[in-house]
């Protein structure tokens, strides 16, 4: 027995990796394993010899089991230290800065605008980016042969739909949805969203951009309400109390009268600088009183109700607010640009 003991202990000690250990394990303790054989041999002994032999064999079996377990522990420890040694590991080094996600500057400003407008009683509406010709043009008083279609170069899809060129189609969708559900104006909504135009991209034009539409319909809504709302909005977004606005006539088939709203240049306070091209004013958004045909297309009686609408180019506002001079930066995905807006995800 002593011979076997020495043989087995030597075999265990010689197994220095997982594979060898598994082999030794099955050679000793497998179904026809040598240790198991020895245990079984007890039953072949004379009855009176069995207790002493059995005890000795059990002790030996335990010893071998322990030796195997100890060797297993040694082998796995060695494997671990080897793995760690292969990794460049310097416990004294400080941990790398974790890159946290942050909001895109357009989202930051959009969130502020949504907060502001919802606090004024507006609700947030959404609409599809793939739009029908009807909602994008016809229902907005832009029939097929109207020259105004030329100013909105459009991505057409094979099925006759298109990528919406502005958020204005949601004006119609909202009016229809409200009316279908039996609501009556007042109706106050904003529609932030992504729009597309087949533009040649340069520092002030993008094929993909963000607008925020506003629509208010009620009895007796006037241009004065429009101006007040826009002043409040710009005061908050541009963080200034001393802003002046002015309206110039602007043509959009879905408003009458239509305006371009200018704000006195926040960079030079209206004195004239390179940003406002010495004019003292910056064109900020188109707006106007909703055209009766548009109210009609939305199922609202223009004899009873009037409304105003505006279409804010979000990038434009963000550019003014942060002094950004190239619209391509927004979609460029350049980390050096984006990391300058560290407002973290909320
Ligand atoms: N939808 C127009 C555009 O994108 C902007 C606009 C909206 C003008 C609402 C007037 C009223 O050009």
């Amino acid at each position: 027995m002593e011979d076997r003991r020495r043989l087995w202990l030597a075999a265990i000690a010689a197994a220095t990796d997982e594979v060898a250990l598994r082999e030794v394990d099955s050679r000793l303790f497998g179904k026809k394993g040598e240790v198991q054989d020895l245990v079984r041999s007890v039953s072949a002994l004379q009855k009176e010899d069995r207790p002493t032999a059995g005890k000795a064999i059990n002790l030996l079996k335990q010893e071998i089991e322990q030796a195997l377990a100890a060797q297993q522990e040694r082998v796995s420890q060695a494997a671990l230290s080897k793995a760690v040694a292969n990794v460049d590991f310097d416990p004294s080094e400080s941990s790398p800065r974790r890159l946290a996600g942050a909001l895109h500057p357009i989202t930051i400003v959009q969130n502020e605008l949504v907060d502001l407008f919802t606090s004024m009683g507006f609700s947030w509406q959404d609409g599809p980016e793939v739009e029908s010709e009807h909602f994008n043009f016809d229902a907005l008083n832009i029939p097929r042969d109207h020259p105004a279609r030329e100013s909105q170069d459009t991505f057409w899809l094979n099925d006759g739909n298109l990528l919406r060129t502005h958020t204005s189609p949601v004006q119609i969708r909202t009016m229809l949805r409200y009316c279908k559900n039996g609501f009556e104006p007042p109706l106050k909504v904003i529609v932030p969203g992504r729009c597309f135009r087949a533009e040649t991209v340069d520092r002030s034009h993008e094929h993909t951009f963000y607008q925020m539409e506003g629509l208010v319909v009620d009895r007796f809504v006037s241009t004065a309400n429009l101006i007040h709302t826009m002043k409040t909005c710009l005061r908050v977004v541009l963080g200034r109390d001393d802003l002046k606005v002015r309206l110039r006539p602007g043509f959009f088939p879905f408003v009458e009268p239509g305006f371009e709203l200018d704000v006195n240049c926040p960079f030079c306070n209206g004195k004239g600088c390179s940003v406002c091209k010495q004019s003292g004013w910056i064109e900020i958004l188109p707006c106007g009183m909703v055209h009766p045909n548009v109210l009609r297309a939305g199922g609202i009686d223009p004899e009873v109700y009037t409304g105003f609408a505006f279409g804010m180019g979000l990038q434009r506002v963000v550019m003014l607010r942060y002094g950004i001079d190239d619209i391509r930066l927004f979609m460029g995905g350049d980390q050096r640009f984006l990391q300058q807006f560290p407002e973290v995800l909320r």
Side-chain angles (χ1 to χ4, degrees):
M1 217 157 84
E2 185 51 32
D3 284 353
R4 269 189 276 190
R5 176 177 170 270
R6 241 181 274 129
L7 215 64
W8 290 339
L9 288 177
I12 290 171
T16 51
D17 61 41
E18 292 286 343
V19 181
L21 264 173
R22 262 197 303 273
E23 267 167 27
V24 175
D25 186 25
S26 80
R27 179 182 140 201
L28 303 184
F29 294 100
K31 236 185 192 163
K32 292 194 177 130
E34 296 171 14
V35 178
Q36 299 299 82
D37 270 355
L38 185 65
V39 173
R40 271 192 294 269
S41 69
V42 177
S43 56
L45 296 177
Q46 296 290 333
K47 212 172 180 182
E48 56 272 25
D49 294 336
R50 279 184 209 162
T52 343
K55 211 171 174 186
I57 287 173
N58 258 337
L59 280 176
L60 176 59
K61 184 184 169 197
Q62 269 171 24
E63 186 190 352
I64 299 297
E65 274 172 348
Q66 278 160 11
L68 190 64
Q71 181 70 356
Q72 228 140 20
E73 179 65 26
R74 237 170 280 138
V75 166
S76 56
Q77 277 300 335
L80 193 68
S81 347
K82 205 167 140 199
V84 171
N86 280 342
V87 179
D88 250 344
F89 181 69
D90 177 359
S92 66
E93 194 166 320
S94 62
S95 62
R97 197 162 59 88
R98 244 182 79 220
L99 285 178
L103 293 178
H104 192 280
I106 297 179
T107 314
I108 296 175
V109 171
Q110 180 182 306
N111 284 350
E112 271 179 30
L113 283 165
V114 169
D115 283 352
L116 169 70
F117 277 99
T118 48
S119 79
M120 296 197 289
F122 284 68
S123 76
W124 175 344
Q125 299 289 317
D126 210 353
E129 290 173 353
V130 172
E131 192 44 285
S132 71
E133 184 178 358
H134 173 75
F135 283 120
N136 197 82
F137 291 125
D138 300 85
L140 288 167
N141 208 26
I142 319 177
R144 185 165 280 187
D145 53 1
H146 197 289
R149 283 209 182 184
E150 294 245 320
S151 67
Q152 304 203 355
D153 284 337
T154 311
F155 291 112
W156 290 93
L157 307 182
N158 289 336
D159 62 5
N161 286 325
L162 49 89
L163 298 185
R164 67 174 174 195
T165 56
H166 48 181
T167 42
S168 301
V170 191
Q171 287 189 25
I172 309 287
R173 288 181 175 276
T174 306
M175 288 189 270
L176 288 175
R177 187 157 56 224
Y178 268 69
C179 293
K180 240 204 316 232
N181 290 315
F183 287 108
E184 298 239 321
L187 187 147
K188 290 162 84 176
V189 296
I190 43 161
V191 187
R194 187 159 53 169
C195 308
F196 311 85
R197 286 187 202 176
E199 299 265 12
T200 307
V201 173
D202 61 28
R203 61 182 14 237
S204 47
H205 294 91
E206 255 291 7
H207 50 71
T208 303
F209 54 97
Y210 290 79
Q211 286 192 339
M212 198 180 77
E213 193 84 7
L215 173 69
V216 171
V217 180
D218 199 357
R219 289 170 201 265
F220 314 118
V221 171
S222 74
T223 311
N225 303 124
L226 166 63
I227 295 174
H228 174 76
T229 309
M230 292 298 88
K231 266 188 168 170
T232 311
C233 160
L234 294 173
R235 253 206 306 271
V236 172
V237 185
L238 301 178
R240 303 277 294 254
D241 269 334
D242 55 344
L243 289 178
K244 290 198 198 71
V245 300
R246 72 172 184 192
L247 295 180
R248 283 179 294 116
F251 176 69
F252 301 92
F254 35 94
V255 283
E256 180 56 40
F259 308 108
E260 292 289 355
L261 189 129
D262 297 343
V263 60
N264 63 328
C265 178
F267 296 102
C268 62
N269 290 323
K271 288 192 201 69
C273 66
S274 62
V275 180
C276 59
K277 302 200 184 83
Q278 310 308 327
S279 73
W281 293 95
I282 289 185
E283 184 179 317
I284 193 134
L285 56 86
C287 53
M289 302 307 293
V290 183
H291 195 288
N293 286 351
V294 173
L295 290 172
R296 252 178 238 117
I300 288 178
D301 183 356
E303 299 294 329
V304 182
Y305 295 107
T306 50
F308 70 76
F310 60 88
M312 186 182 296
L314 280 180
Q315 269 107 326
R316 194 170 171 69
V317 177
V318 179
M319 287 166 88
L320 269 181
R321 157 124 151 219
Y322 294 112
I324 298 165
D325 60 1
D326 193 328
I327 198 171
R328 289 169 293 196
L329 287 165
F330 291 115
M331 304 289 287
D334 188 332
Q335 294 282 329
R336 289 167 302 179
F337 170 68
L338 295 170
Q339 278 167 359
Q340 295 175 48
F341 305 91
E343 182 165 331
V344 287
L345 291 166
R346 48 170 160 154

